[in-house]
């Protein structure tokens, strides 16, 4: 009897066996074709990495235990003690903590580039500057980075460009095609898509960088477990369908919020008023994704009243699941920033972030209407 499953089974094993010494030698002579130890490689993590590599048009990818370990891996591919990195000011709070609080202790220094200077990096570049880290769509203000333009500026200044493509996903934008050197994702978000996985990925334009990322993943022990890899690969199968629905629902909800008297501002690249609306349309292949932020009165009590009145939309500080949730940047993802940094970015008391799911949009609007009526 031969068994040939349609779906890759879960190889829930930490180690693989060898017949004899000859088999061991074959493992070393044919890299990538056999498995020895799950921290070095496993069929499930390999499958997830290959699928994402294809979507991002890379020359190699490695999956990691979280988005954070993917960012760590990406920085370590290019930077060592004594080096300097640039980072966009509007960046996920965990990324700035990693750079400012941890990598700085290992001798890698960081300078944050204000949004206004994103495409004129000359005055920030030092002799030892190795890379620039930026997000395709920023969190939580939904600013869209012109990746082709940024890639040209990086090239001119001898910098590698590392792009966090988590908010966009490859269903909207493929940064390697626009000139980036490495792409990272929190696979926890759209790539897995069901709020049940914590994972990351690094995808490289050059095979040598992918190999270096794999070496770092193995040696630092940043590997992803077989089961999480399997769940990630399963979620990925519906990425394009999900992003189409997320984008459609988010557009309708952004338009609803924009005309609501209790909403002061809406930040969504799909709205014509958004400062990078045209760029978002071209770079996002006509879609703008499922993330948006909006501002109600800058009053914590009003935010509480809104949250408490919602029946179906939970306050859950993550994003990109199939069901809608709200988050609160000031109290969660951007809590660690100084008051001045928060104000500069527009993260005020009344700013609410909405991760729009793929439910029936009328149900979502009815719930939001209920929340806003309670303020
Ligand atoms: C844009 C972005 N990058 C990276 C991360 C870190 O990912 P993880 O939580 O999977 O470590 C997050 C988490 O929220 C994120 O929003």
């Amino acid at each position: 009897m031969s068994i040939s499953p349609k779906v890759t089974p879960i190889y829930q094993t930490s180690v693989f066996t060898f017949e004899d010494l000859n088999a061991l030698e074959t493992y070393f002579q044919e890299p990538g074709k056999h498995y020895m130890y799950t921290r070095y490689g496993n069929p499930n993590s390999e499958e997830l990495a290959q699928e994402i590599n294809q979507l991002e048009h890379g020359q190699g990818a490695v999956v990691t235990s979280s988005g954070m370990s993917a960012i760590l891996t990406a920085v370590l591919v290019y930077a060592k003690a004594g080096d300097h990195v640039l980072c966009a000011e509007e960046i996920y709070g965990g990324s700035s903590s990693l750079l400012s609080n941890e990598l700085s202790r290992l001798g890698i220094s960081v300078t944050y580039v204000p949004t206004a200077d994103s495409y004129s990096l000359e005055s920030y570049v030092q002799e030892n500057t190795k890379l620039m880290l930026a997000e395709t769509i920023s969190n939580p203000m939904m600013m869209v980075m012109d990746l082709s333009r940024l890639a040209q500026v990086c090239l001119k200044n001898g910098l590698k460009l590392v792009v966090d493509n988590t908010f966009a996903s490859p269903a909207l934008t493929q940064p390697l095609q626009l000139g980036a050197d490495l792409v990272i994702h929190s696979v926890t978000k759209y790539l897995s898509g069901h709020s049940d996985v914590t994972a990351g990925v690094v995808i490289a334009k050059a095979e040598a960088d992918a190999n270096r990322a794999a070496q770092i993943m193995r040696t630092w022990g940043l590997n992803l477990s077989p089961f999480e890899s399997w769940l990630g690969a399963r979620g990925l199968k519906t990425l394009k369908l999900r992003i189409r629905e997320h984008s459609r629902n988010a557009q309708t909800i952004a338009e609803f919020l924009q005309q609501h008297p209790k909403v002061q501002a809406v930040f969504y690249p799909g709205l014509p008023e958004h400062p990078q609306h045209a760029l978002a349309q071209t770079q996002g292949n006509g879609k703008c994704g499922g993330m948006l932020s909006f501002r109600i009165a800058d009053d914590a009590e009003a935010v509480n009243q809104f949250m408490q009145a919602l029946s179906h939309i939970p306050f859950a500080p993550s994003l990109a699941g199939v069901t809608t949730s709200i988050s609160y940047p000031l109290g969660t993802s951007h809590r660690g920033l100084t008051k001045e940094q928060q104000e500069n970015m527009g993260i005020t008391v009344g700013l609410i972030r909405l991760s729009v799911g793929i439910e029936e949009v009328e149900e979502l609007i009815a719930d939001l209407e209920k929340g806003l009526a309670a303020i």
Side-chain angles (χ1 to χ4, degrees), residues 131-134 147 150-151 154 159-163 179-182:
L131 66 92
M132 167 83 186
L133 172 66
L147 294 179
L150 183 61
C154 285
L159 308 181
K160 298 290 186 182
L161 175 58
V162 179
V163 174
D181 296 285
L182 285 185

Side-chain angles (χ1 to χ4, degrees), residues 73-93:
T73 303
V75 174
L76 293 177
V77 166
Y78 298 128
K80 60 181 186 318
D83 287 339
H84 172 243
V85 304
L86 297 181
C87 180
E89 177 187 50
E90 288 201 29
I91 197 87
Y92 168 59

Side-chain angles (χ1 to χ4, degrees), residues 90 138-143 267 274 293 295 345-347 351:
E90 288 201 29
S138 77
N139 173 20
M141 303 312 287
M142 310 302 148
M143 198 205 76
F267 306 92
H274 187 280
S293 293
R295 183 174 291 123
M345 284 176 70
I347 301 171
L351 189 80

